[in-house]
Each structure stands twice: as C-alpha cells, then as structure tokens.
Amino acid sequence: MKPIKILGTGMTKFGEHWNKSLVDLAEEAGMKAVKDSNLKLKDLEAIFVGNMLSASVTGQEHLGALVAERLGSKIPAVRIEGACASGAMAVHQACLAIASGHYQKVLVIGVEKMTDLSTAEVNRALMGASAEAEEGVNGFTFASLYALMARVYMEKYGLKEKDLAQVAVKNHAHASLNPLAQFPFKVSLKQVLESPLVADPLKVLDCSGITDGAAAVVLSSRPWTVDNKQISVSIIGNSLISDTLSLSARGEITEQEATRKAVQEALRMAGIKLKEVDLAEVHDCFTIAEIISLESLGFFKKGEAGKATARGETSLNGRLPVNTSGGLKACGHPVGATGVKQIVELALQLRGQAGKRQVKNARIGLAQNIGGSGSTAVIHILERENHV
Amino acid sequence: MRIWRENGYHFFGSYCSKCQKTYFPKREYCLQCGENGLEKIKIHNPGKLISFSVVRNAPAGFEGQAPYVVGIVELAPKIRVSAQIINVDLKKLKIGQKLISVFRRISVADEESVISYGLKFQPAFQRKKGSK
C-alpha cells in the first residue's frame, strides 16, 4: 500500500474522568492531535470516531456529528463500531478513505466513557460485543470467556497461573513509566497471584480495568507540514478480518484465527517480514489474551509465549518489547479508544518521543486490536522513515 | 421474539437435504446451494465439557446468582454451545465430562420484567448414594 502519514497524535490521561463527558474527552484528544500535526482544524476534510458503548452508557448516538460540532466543523464525520476493536477499525476505515483518494487529511478519534456505570452494568453492556443470544443472555462476562480460553490453554500447554501473572507484572512495569496510564505503578507477582478471582482462573490483576479516555491521530496521504526536526512515521500495512461472534463456534479456542490471517495480510501489504518488527502493542484485555495474541501473530510458537514473557523477552529491554504503553492491562482500556492509543504509542516510540519508556532505534511497530473474544482483528504496521 | 424463545428452549440446527449439509445454529439459507427452506433439526444430548469458568463478578441481571459456573459444551462434532453449568462440585468438574441440558430460569431483570428461561447443563449421571 501507499504509506499513509501520521501527522499528529494526541491522547487524554486514561482513568476515571468523573468531571468529563464523552465529547469533552474526544475534544481534548482531537485538539492535541491537530496541534501536534501543525495543521489547522479548517484543514481537516473528514472525522472518523471509534466508539462502542456511547448509547449504553449515556444514551447518546450519532457521534460523528456530535464530535464534529464540538470541533466547530461541518465536514463529513462518521462513527465506527467494532466492539473493543472500534478504535483500530476507525483508523483502518480512515486509511481506506485516504487510499481511495477521496480525502487527504483526516482526523481519527477513539473515545470511550465507561465509569458513569456500575461495574455490573459495564460488564453487561460489554457483552454486546459477544454473541448476545448465547453468551450475554446466559450470564457470561468477557472475563469468563477469556477464562474458558485460559483453562484449555493451561491444560494443553502446561501454562501456570504464575506465567499468566508475569504478563500483568510486565505491563504494570511499563505503565509505571507512562504518565498517561490509568495504573502507573508496579505490581509484584505475589500481588497478582493473591488478588481475588474474577472468573477462574483469572484474577482481578489478570484483567484490564474500566476506563474513560480518548486517543486521536491525524492521517494524511502526504506530509503537509515541513518540519525537518520531526521524524516522519507512516502506516505501511493494515488489515481487518472477522471471525465468529460466539466463542463456542470456533474449533480452536487457544489461538486467534482472525489475528493469524490479518497479520499475514498486513505484512504482505507492508512488504516486510515479521522478524523486522521492533516492538508491538497487542490486545491484552486479559493476561491470557496477550499470550494467545503473541502466538497467533507468529512472534512465538504455540505454548511458548508464557515462558518468553517470564524470561523478559517482551519487556522494555527485551528483544521484542510488547505493550510499552502498559497495554490494556495497565494503561487502561477505554474500549473505543484502545486501538487508536496503540497507534499513538507506536508513533511516539518510532519518533523517539516516548520518554522513560523509549525503545532504542525502533523502526517498525505492529499494533493488534481485537473485538469481542476474537471476532474482529485489526492489524496496523507502522514505519519510521529514514531521513538523510 | 417467539423464534428467539424457541431457540432458547431447544438446540436447533438446519439441514439441507440437497447438499447433505448440517448447520448449527439454525439458519434459513444453505451457504452452499443458496436455497431457502432448510429442514429444522433438533440437536440431542448428552454433551461433553470443553472448558469452564466461574463467574464471580456477575453482570447486571445476574448479581444474585454469583458465583455460578459457565462453560462450553460439545453436543456433536463441530456443534458447541455456551451455557451455565449447574449441580456440580467445582473440585470434581473436569474437561471431557458428560453433561445433559435441563430447562431452567436464566435471569429476572426486575419484578415487572418477563422472566427469561433457557437451557443449562448438569452432569449426565448423578452419583449413586454411598459410592465414592
């Protein structure tokens, strides 16, 4: 594909924003991204908004026009929904719109407001991402769906609860270096293992939190602003694949088939090999999800990602840093914002602007965003352009 | 609404006699020949437990029931369903165990709402008294 430039990025602090509405959060991330791009609001030609739960939480739908109004704009504006993959799906659709030649400068905002509801209400609303008539209606939660995968995986590959816990320990350590993370502090292996069960064998500290937040990127077909100090980052491959909504309809629940297919397609588009990837943001809504994702992406053989995590291979100083932002686990998971936040994190890393969590000399980053229990997978591959 | 309820009370699939293809869950058109009017078939018990978990933080509408066991049950090759599993000792529940479906109340939203009924699973053979 013809590379699509990331001209600017912005995000809010992830956490509990009791004084901010959904549109306040979208405005903050959007304005920061536009400022970072050196463009003016009037330069934008379209807005794509990724969101899942606005109607369930606030009753508000029609987010395209809502966000455009707040940005003082009357340009084309659409809302994209694909459960927890809504953010990456919005980026993907914006890339297609630019690739079609219809737009040249587009703002993408992923946003979610979750803390207005009780935990029980949020857990029920999130089940809209599942096969409602089979899973939601019978009292399943997403923690329990991922727990079903964890149990089979543990039996098949001998993975232990402490191996799962290592993912949380690592991602919290990364989040402790990210001032915008919801949980910017370290946790010990003991703390994870002693946290209360949510859905056996998953515990509280195996799960991502309930989060408010927004993230945004300005995308373009070419560099509009000449700033020689700014390193240019582009999206060079992306792919979106769907799978069955219900987990029971999938034969193999210890791998993500949609991810496996999507990554192959994205690598082909980018014209690179997986081993060229320097760092990745993957969908760790639960600790088991990061392990299964890393294997489905092809970074590790099946049954190996847990051991590799324990050896530090996916830590900040490892051979493949994974979830330097803290991931969904510790940076937070405002569902519609997560996929855009992954792109923001990779762009900051590739530009060398990631502060204390900077990965040295990173050239290629990969983002994987999942909807439901693996029903949608979106992959983006980013590259830092080499300047003379 | 009626069709939805019927589906909640039995496990129905579809069969295309022309292509000799079975589908689960029930659908209207054959994916192979594109014809409408598939035969409705009932999927039978018992099933085999594929995986299970315990919901301890219940979603809205289920708070009074927690903790409860949920799982995936295989009724036939490639025919699996997700459901609650009842009348089990968690310590003895094992992947591969035989289960049968039973008709039960699923949830009650509030006093004025329609009570939701559906299928849950329980062990296929209850242990005899005095046996280990």
Side-chain angles (χ1 to χ4, degrees):
Chain A
M1 73 184 272
K2 193 163 172 275
I4 289 172
K5 309 277 177 204
I6 298 176
L7 297 186
T9 69
M11 67 179 272
T12 67
K13 165 92 176 160
F14 277 13
E16 297 188 8
H17 290 286
W18 294 354
N19 286 325
K20 285 181 183 165
S21 70
L22 180 113
V23 74
D24 292 336
L25 295 166
E27 178 190 9
E28 181 184 333
M31 293 301 287
K32 283 179 173 172
V34 172
K35 188 178 180 199
D36 187 48
S37 74
N38 287 327
L39 292 179
K40 301 277 178 248
L41 274 173
K42 65 174 172 50
D43 296 326
L44 299 174
E45 294 161 75
I47 302 169
F48 288 74
V49 180
N51 172 268
M52 174 188 172
L53 294 170
S54 69
S56 309
V57 177
T58 67
Q60 178 71 59
E61 292 277 28
H62 210 164
L63 296 192
L66 176 82
V67 171
E69 180 191 7
R70 176 58 76 92
L71 296 177
S73 204
K74 293 183 178 176
I75 56 177
V78 296
R79 176 260 188 94
I80 307 279
E81 192 277 320
C84 306
S86 299
M89 195 179 263
V91 174
H92 182 261
Q93 294 300 302
C95 287
L96 294 186
I98 291 168
S100 78
H102 204 79
Y103 305 124
Q104 293 185 308
K105 286 162 279 187
V106 168
L107 174 65
V108 184
I109 303 175
V111 59
E112 207 72 65
K113 176 75 192 166
M114 300 172 79
T115 65
D116 284 358
L117 296 183
S118 70
T119 302
E121 288 167 333
V122 170
N123 281 335
R124 187 68 188 89
L126 284 168
M127 290 311 286
S130 78
E132 168 60 25
E134 180 190 356
E135 295 163 344
V137 83
N138 281 315
F140 283 69
T141 55
F142 265 96
S144 66
L145 289 172
Y146 277 88
L148 295 177
M149 300 179 209
R151 190 177 298 276
V152 175
Y153 187 105
M154 290 163 89
E155 186 152 307
K156 198 168 173 183
Y157 297 111
L159 189 86
K160 301 281 184 268
E161 289 179 26
K162 67 173 170 44
D163 302 325
L164 287 174
Q166 291 285 3
V167 174
V169 170
K170 168 186 71 83
N171 289 348
H172 270 274
H174 291 175
S176 72
L177 306 173
N178 182 357
L180 296 181
Q182 181 176 19
F183 305 113
F185 50 81
K186 292 181 181 176
V187 297
S188 67
L189 196 62
K190 189 164 175 274
Q191 281 175 305
V192 180
L193 290 171
E194 288 178 357
S195 64
L197 281 165
V198 169
D200 314 19
L202 301 180
K203 304 169 191 73
V204 168
L205 289 176
D206 284 303
C207 308
S208 52
I210 291 168
T211 317
D212 302 328
V217 289
V218 176
L219 302 178
S220 174
S221 50
R222 62 185 176 89
W224 293 89
T225 48
V226 182
D227 180 351
N228 292 328
K229 282 175 281 181
Q230 186 91 313
I231 292 165
S232 170
V233 174
S234 297
I235 295 171
I236 57 168
N238 62 3
S239 176
L240 187 161
I241 300 282
S242 63
D243 198 350
T244 64
L245 212 51
S246 99
L247 183 63
S248 70
R250 271 170 249 157
E252 178 56 75
I253 63 171
T254 60
E255 71 165 56
Q256 299 271 357
E257 192 184 345
T259 290
R260 192 164 48 75
K261 288 179 182 167
V263 73
Q264 286 163 4
E265 169 71 4
L267 289 168
R268 191 191 59 74
M269 285 172 78
I272 63 156
K273 297 216 165 20
L274 188 68
K275 65 178 182 210
E276 294 179 63
V277 173
D278 296 308
L279 79 162
E281 287 284 304
V282 308
H283 199 90
D284 60 326
C285 47
F286 302 95
T287 49
I288 184 67
E290 176 163 321
I291 286 173
I292 289 177
S293 291
L294 287 173
E295 294 170 6
S296 300
L297 286 164
F299 287 123
F300 300 97
K301 288 188 188 131
K302 287 181 84 173
E304 297 289 325
K307 289 173 212 156
T309 302
R311 283 195 299 265
E313 290 184 31
T314 56
S315 297
L316 194 52
N317 298 316
R319 72 173 172 96
L320 177 76
V322 172
N323 286 329
T324 55
S325 67
L328 286 58
K329 171 68 205 80
C331 186
H333 184 27
V335 289
T338 282
V340 184
K341 179 222 75 181
Q342 293 179 324
I343 306 286
V344 170
E345 173 68 12
L346 292 178
L348 291 177
Q349 288 283 0
L350 298 179
R351 284 179 183 173
Q353 296 174 338
K356 287 181 182 168
R357 63 185 191 284
Q358 181 64 48
V359 175
K360 281 186 193 127
N361 301 321
R363 186 175 68 86
I364 290 180
L366 182 147
Q368 175 236 22
N369 191 194
I370 294 289
S373 57
S375 316
T376 293
V378 189
I379 305 285
H380 282 90
I381 297 173
L382 277 63
E383 184 183 38
R384 181 191 70 204
E385 278 179 27
N386 292 318
H387 288 277
V388 182
Chain B
M1 195 66 184
R2 193 186 65 82
I3 292 170
W4 179 86
R5 283 184 189 166
E6 187 187 60
N7 272 338
Y9 300 165
H10 301 278
F11 297 121
F12 285 121
S14 301
Y15 181 71
C16 176
S17 49
K18 194 173 148 192
C19 302
Q20 299 187 337
K21 250 187 106 61
T22 301
Y23 295 100
F24 183 82
K26 191 164 102 45
R27 56 177 297 117
E28 300 297 318
Y29 288 79
C30 177
L31 286 174
Q32 202 159 302
C33 67
E35 292 298 317
N36 191 2
L38 304 183
E39 185 190 335
K40 185 167 87 179
I41 56 167
K42 206 166 161 181
I43 310 295
H44 294 284
N45 277 302
K48 184 178 81 173
L49 185 62
I50 298 296
S51 187
F52 63 96
S53 179
V54 184
V55 175
R56 295 178 190 274
N57 288 38
F62 292 84
E63 292 100 327
Q65 297 183 37
Y68 51 90
V69 181
V70 294
I72 295 178
V73 179
E74 187 170 273
L75 296 169
K78 293 186 178 177
I79 297 182
R80 293 178 173 184
V81 291
S82 295
Q84 284 193 28
I85 297 161
I86 55 171
N87 299 330
V88 287
D89 178 348
L90 194 58
K91 283 178 197 145
K92 291 177 182 162
L93 194 61
K94 281 202 165 58
I95 289 176
Q97 189 168 342
K98 259 189 186 179
L99 302 168
I100 53 164
S101 62
V102 284
F103 186 72
R104 288 288 184 275
R105 187 171 71 183
I106 301 290
S107 64
V108 187
D110 57 62
E111 279 182 12
E112 290 179 14
S113 299
V114 174
I115 298 170
S116 160
Y117 288 91
L119 297 169
K120 299 184 181 182
F121 281 86
Q122 67 177 26
F125 304 105
Q126 297 291 346
R127 282 176 296 127
K128 285 177 196 160
K129 276 180 193 170
S131 69
K132 211 175 171 186

